[in-house]
Amino acid sequence: MTTQVLEVASHAAELRASGSVRQKLEFRSGNEAAALAARDIGFHVMGYFPITPSTEVAENLSKMQAEGEHEIVMVAGDGEHGAAGICYGAALGGGRVLNATSSQGLLYALEQLPVQAGTRVPMVLNIAARAISGPLDIRGDHSDIYYALNTGWILLCARDPQAVYDLNFAAVKIGEHPDVRLPVLVAYDGFFTSHQKRRIQVFDDADALRKFLGKRPEFPSPLDTEHPATFGPYMNDPDLINNKVQLSQAMEAARRVIPEVLAELEKMTGRHYPMLDAYRMEDAEVATILINSAAETAKETADELRLKAVKAGVLSPNVLRPFPAEEFRRALRRVKAVTIGDRADSYGAGGGNLSLEVRAALQIDPQNHTQALSRIYGLGGKDFYAADAEQFFEQAVAAARSGTVAEAFAYHGATAGRPDSKARAGLPPLPAAELSRGMAHVHRDEASGRLKVELEPLWKMTQVPSRIAPGHGACPGCGAFPTLHQVYNVLEGDVVVLFQTGCAMVVTTGYPSTAHRINYIHNLFQNGAATLAGLVEIYHERVRRGELPASQDITFVMISGDGGMDIGMGAALGAAHRNHRMMILEYDNQGYMNTGAQLSYSTPFGHRTSTSEVGKILPGKRYHHKDTAQIFAACHVPYVFTASEGYPEDLMRKVAKAQWYAKNEGLVYGKILSYCPLNWRTADDAAQPVLQAAIDSCFFPLYEIEHGHTTLTYDPEATTRRCPVSEWLKLMGKTRHLLTPGNTEIVAGIQAETDRRWARLKAMHEHPDL
Ligand SMILES: Cc1ncc(C[n+]2csc(CCOP(=O)(O)OP(=O)(O)O)c2C)c(N)n1
Ligand code: SF4
Ligand SMILES: [Mg+2]
């Protein structure tokens, strides 16, 4: 360690010692730090929707909530757009409000962000930064946060878990300052910071904390009925531009307020957060600028280079909005060359946003002669090692020596493609001829107008080659694949599938491999139904124009999880109302399983998930499951059904009907109960008894609705198999807590709701007009 590093380290130790509040040491990740800060701040409401890698913030808070460690009202949105709306409403109501998201989640919420900044309503949104789609990649870069730069939100950057904890407090106080009144983002690196544990200091002094935060100031609120006001009126020229001037002035006020708040925080904690973190910049001749965790790597490299007499330094903004332009100008005034690294590109602009803004800041400084190089690095979570930082410095040194920049803009770390390389060979694609085996014979019964199906014996079905190759990465015992195989066994001919994001999608493709032997598309699960609807329409139109052969006769099928029918419900209902000729099949495993088993709206009451935890205070999910089949029935589409992989013949008969309706009449929806041993906490081989009990208890009735007429296809009461829901609940680890003496009322509630829904269905079955 160099003398200077020793000095910095001992200065930090001194400052820690000089912090005026009691603190205690914890070993925590960035997401845990955000959750601890939320607990300590005592937000009123958290609106959220799970997305990797930020989901753990809500999960950690759910655990703490179940144990009674905080009183934050946690509302799971139906998607990030909904979550942002929940937060906006709660913040308008005068509460302290929190959200956490990443990547597509931020983009899906983005439309709400300027709304909230424009009406000047503070709250805090943590972003565990992650690459945006497409292609889909769950690891960290900054392509999501760059989209937020123009929303009018303050943007703080947290380089490590300690900063995540500290800056959440700062965010509350900065945003609520009467001269600012703006919402605040706290951005930290997905996985690098969100998941890596570090030693952090947390407050152990509730009084000091209360004093620091103070009470949230009263801003105009729709809950103040004494002073009625209009929030968000239509606004035209010139008021709109004047409104934006005020927003811009608020940002400028933040430029003053942020250092004040951070100084106050420093007095309490001993930890120093300048607007722009400058490391060994006092006499630096070359520098690199990086946001968040990569800057820490570069600091070590700067130390190494100093041993070789290279005067290297590192700059890293703790605040991106307002942009610390003056701080950059000052820090770079004597620097001969700087490499600015962006973990996201602004395609076609010759640099990412950081580099463009730094270069713009320097351009207006007549005293500045720094050569600037823009580099895009670390996309999709590509690691940034000391060797990468070294190259950044080397390039700056070369520019400093020559006085010119050889390559102003480049991607760093990309590997050249090999034109001779071929796609990895898997199982060959399947042509329709091989898949037209006539396993189901469908005809319309003229008397009833309903379809009749005759299935070939199950053993014959084994001759149908599977449209999905074996060797996917699902958990042992996963029900999604038996479900898909049964569906594919009876579907005839050319099928184009669209999988929404979820377990079945995630485990079947991983570039350059795919398990799909037919045409497959993925779109994110908020918009799959709309995408498939578009494909259906172009198909029929191109056939009509003679551009495609009608003989293909494609069936279009969307596969979605139950979660996709939360966030994607709007798009799916749109497709249903327009009655496109396509099928929507939902495998319902009662949760958002691929992201770690968070609650979905289809999760039943009382069930344990990672966002409806069970503890001293709370017994799992607190509202009943969504009746998605009835929602689609209300769209009056030709055919709706429920089924389960545990009843293969029933399922396949319904899928055969579904194909007929999707080809001839319009949209079909099917909800298929699908086993998830991992998150139901059951044995890999216990699908049959667990699914059977769900069906026999009438929790998951098997029925179909053809042109509005409901038919129960299996009635457990008729076979005397009907059992109480407790017989089903006792079979799963996720519900076992419900059978303890303290939870009898909850089980009675689940039973009552099950009975009510079942009685209604039975009445519909018995009365064709219902
Ligand atoms: C806009 C957006 N928000 C959140 C996510 C994260 N995400 C991907 S799949 C998923 C859950 C999927 O649940 P479900 O549809 O039930 O499928 P399962 O994983 O249970 O099979 C979530 C939350 C995302 N990819 N995009
Ligand atoms: S988590 Fe559940 S649904 Fe997902 S692959 Fe595993 S068993 Fe299947
Ligand atoms: Mg699911």
Side-chain angles (χ1 to χ4, degrees):
M1 207 185 262
T2 63
T3 326
Q4 182 163 0
V5 180
L6 278 172
E7 273 169 23
V8 170
S10 68
H11 176 61
E14 238 170 65
L15 284 173
R16 234 192 308 281
S18 70
S20 64
V21 294
R22 246 187 353 267
Q23 299 179 65
K24 61 179 181 206
L25 200 63
E26 300 256 1
F27 188 56
R28 298 291 190 164
S29 68
N31 282 338
E32 288 169 342
L36 287 182
R39 176 201 65 186
D40 295 346
I41 289 164
F43 285 100
H44 291 78
V45 170
M46 177 180 193
Y48 69 96
F49 187 81
I51 181 162
T52 307
S54 58
T55 314
E56 283 182 349
V57 180
E59 289 178 341
N60 283 310
L61 284 166
S62 179
K63 267 194 206 110
M64 292 186 223
Q65 186 185 36
E67 296 299 340
E69 291 173 25
H70 67 77
E71 291 179 345
I72 304 169
V73 176
M74 297 193 51
V75 189
D78 52 343
E80 288 85 356
H81 193 247
I86 289 162
C87 290
Y88 181 43
L92 263 176
R96 283 197 166 130
V97 175
L98 172 72
N99 191 352
T101 192
S102 304
S103 181
Q104 298 312 116
L106 180 67
L107 263 63
Y108 197 37
L110 199 68
E111 180 267 342
Q112 284 291 290
L113 267 56
V115 172
Q116 185 150 349
T119 44
R120 309 279 301 279
V121 184
M123 65 164 278
V124 179
L125 167 52
N126 280 272
I127 304 173
R130 159 184 152 182
I132 54 162
S133 193
L136 190 65
D137 179 332
I138 61 165
R139 297 185 307 152
D141 66 28
H142 298 152
S143 49
D144 52 2
I145 53 177
Y146 278 9
Y147 275 92
L149 289 172
N150 295 330
T151 54
W153 287 50
I154 288 166
L155 175 44
L156 309 180
C157 299
R159 236 167 305 128
D160 53 31
Q162 182 68 67
V164 174
Y165 183 80
D166 292 339
L167 294 183
N168 265 274
F169 293 93
V172 171
K173 190 143 174 143
I174 293 164
E176 290 176 2
H177 191 287
D179 295 346
V180 177
R181 269 180 64 190
L182 284 176
V184 183
L185 302 161
V186 178
Y188 50 96
D189 287 355
F191 292 107
F192 301 113
T193 303
S194 65
H195 282 64
Q196 286 190 18
K197 293 203 188 233
R198 292 278 182 277
R199 283 150 57 102
I200 64 167
Q201 304 267 3
V202 303
F203 288 116
D204 191 20
D205 191 337
D207 285 343
L209 202 54
R210 248 193 308 278
K211 222 166 111 205
F212 171 74
L213 290 174
K215 269 185 65 168
R216 186 188 191 271
E218 289 293 339
F219 301 125
S221 158
L223 298 184
D224 178 2
T225 49
E226 295 289 304
H227 305 94
T230 297
F231 297 84
Y234 176 77
M235 199 180 270
N236 230 329
D237 166 60
D239 299 312
L240 187 95
I241 193 168
N242 295 337
N243 170 284
K244 297 305 168 200
V245 165
Q246 289 178 6
L247 178 51
S248 164
Q249 286 165 348
M251 261 304 166
E252 290 310 312
R255 215 180 271 291
R256 168 178 52 79
V257 169
I258 293 171
E260 286 169 13
V261 171
L262 292 173
E264 207 182 321
L265 195 67
E266 182 181 357
K267 254 191 233 146
M268 292 167 67
T269 63
R271 290 183 290 276
H272 179 53
Y273 297 98
M275 294 279 280
L276 178 62
D277 182 85
Y279 184 74
R280 309 199 75 169
M281 287 299 297
E282 309 76 37
D283 60 346
E285 292 181 351
V286 290
T288 188
I289 309 175
L290 295 159
I291 293 173
N292 280 351
S293 58
E296 296 306 300
T297 309
K299 286 178 183 176
E300 285 172 27
T301 310
D303 292 339
E304 297 291 327
L305 289 174
R306 291 228 165 216
L307 294 176
K308 298 177 194 161
V310 178
K311 290 187 176 171
V314 181
L315 291 171
S316 183
N318 285 319
V319 181
L320 262 189
R321 283 291 179 273
F323 188 70
E326 183 51 35
E327 287 81 352
F328 272 115
R329 277 192 285 274
R330 262 190 270 126
L332 290 169
R333 204 154 274 160
R334 281 184 305 277
V335 172
K336 292 182 181 156
V338 60
T339 306
I340 309 162
D342 276 288
R343 228 176 183 137
D345 195 359
S346 176
Y347 304 99
N353 291 85
L354 176 68
S355 100
L356 298 177
E357 295 192 18
V358 171
R359 279 153 54 186
L362 298 184
Q363 204 213 350
I364 58 164
D365 181 0
Q367 293 176 45
N368 185 279
H369 304 289
T370 311
Q371 306 283 347
L373 297 82
S374 299
R375 295 291 178 267
I376 306 294
Y377 76 99
L379 302 192
K382 192 170 182 1
D383 283 311
F384 183 78
Y385 295 114
D388 299 298
E390 212 172 306
Q391 286 182 35
F392 276 21
F393 282 119
E394 275 167 13
Q395 290 165 11
V397 167
R401 283 204 186 119
S402 65
T404 56
V405 171
E407 199 176 14
F409 168 71
Y411 270 61
H412 172 85
T415 40
R418 290 202 338 260
D420 59 326
S421 71
K422 301 221 163 36
R424 187 179 290 178
L427 286 178
L430 283 170
E434 275 195 52
L435 295 160
S436 304
R437 299 293 182 99
M439 291 297 142
H441 310 281
V442 185
H443 67 274
R444 196 195 279 275
D445 175 49
E446 291 310 327
S448 66
R450 309 222 187 138
L451 298 183
K452 296 278 175 217
V453 179
E454 282 153 38
L455 287 181
E456 292 292 318
L458 287 185
W459 63 265
K460 263 195 166 181
M461 306 250 180
T462 54
Q463 296 167 358
V464 182
S466 180
R467 289 174 174 90
I468 286 200
H472 54 70
C475 311
C478 174
F481 290 87
T483 300
L484 281 169
H485 286 309
Q486 290 172 24
V487 169
Y488 281 158
N489 272 344
V490 281
L491 286 179
E492 283 280 298
D494 274 318
V495 172
V496 172
V497 279
L498 183 146
F499 276 47
Q500 300 215 99
T501 327
C503 275
M505 166 260 161
V506 167
V507 303
T508 53
T509 65
Y511 186 82
S513 303
T514 178
H516 299 277
R517 301 180 68 192
I518 55 171
N519 276 325
Y520 160 97
I521 316 160
H522 163 248
N523 194 4
L524 296 148
F525 62 161
Q526 57 274 34
N527 220 12
T531 307
L532 196 63
L535 193 67
V536 168
E537 292 312 311
I538 192 75
Y539 169 65
H540 291 297
E541 181 56 16
R542 291 193 65 195
V543 169
R544 192 186 69 78
R545 294 186 187 198
E547 295 171 6
L548 290 175
S551 56
Q552 266 181 317
D553 198 16
I554 300 174
T555 304
F556 294 89
V557 181
M558 178 171 109
I559 304 292
S560 174
D562 48 304
M565 287 295 112
D566 289 342
I567 189 169
M569 187 53 126
L573 291 182
H577 283 119
R578 296 187 301 265
N579 203 28
H580 299 281
R581 280 178 273 168
M582 59 189 256
M583 295 161 67
I584 297 179
L585 300 184
E586 171 194 331
Y587 63 97
D588 174 9
N589 52 23
Q590 305 184 330
Y592 304 159
M593 299 320 188
N594 121 85
T595 39
Q598 296 82 26
L599 73 84
S600 79
Y601 292 2
S602 289
T603 303
F605 197 105
H607 288 220
R608 179 201 285 265
T609 71
S610 60
T611 48
S612 59
E613 279 289 358
V614 175
K616 277 200 303 249
I617 307 283
L618 293 177
K621 189 180 173 226
R622 279 171 291 163
Y623 49 95
H624 286 289
H625 60 291
K626 178 174 186 171
D627 200 341
T628 324
Q630 290 297 315
I631 295 174
F632 277 92
C635 298
H636 302 284
V637 292
Y639 188 56
V640 171
F641 69 88
T642 65
S644 168
E645 52 162 304
Y647 276 74
E649 290 195 39
D650 179 69
L651 166 58
M652 289 191 278
R653 195 168 280 117
K654 288 169 178 169
V655 171
K657 278 191 183 187
Q659 183 170 28
W660 190 95
Y661 278 117
K663 276 188 176 179
N664 295 292
E665 293 196 1
L667 192 133
V668 168
Y669 165 81
K671 187 176 184 79
I672 305 170
L673 185 62
S674 180
Y675 192 55
C676 174
L678 183 72
N679 295 314
W680 293 6
R681 304 185 187 204
T682 43
D684 298 348
D685 59 358
Q688 194 53 39
V690 175
L691 295 171
Q692 184 77 51
I695 292 162
D696 283 341
S697 65
C698 296
F699 167 81
F700 194 92
L702 301 181
Y703 65 96
E704 61 187 0
I705 306 172
E706 237 174 314
H707 290 134
H709 297 298
T710 303
T711 309
L712 290 171
T713 55
Y714 170 68
D715 180 354
E717 286 174 345
T719 58
T720 69
R721 290 191 64 112
R722 169 119 206 227
C723 61
V725 288
S726 53
E727 290 297 305
W728 165 54
L729 299 174
K730 76 180 184 194
L731 299 178
M732 295 175 289
K734 68 167 177 163
T735 43
R736 225 158 265 148
H737 63 281
L738 293 174
L739 301 170
T740 55
N743 286 329
T744 44
E745 259 182 46
I746 294 179
V747 177
I750 300 171
Q751 186 66 61
E753 181 65 12
T754 300
D755 292 346
R756 192 186 66 75
R757 292 190 192 186
W758 170 250
R760 196 171 157 270
L761 263 183
K762 252 197 141 167
M764 292 197 286
H765 169 77
E766 282 156 13
H767 303 282
D769 292 339
L770 289 182

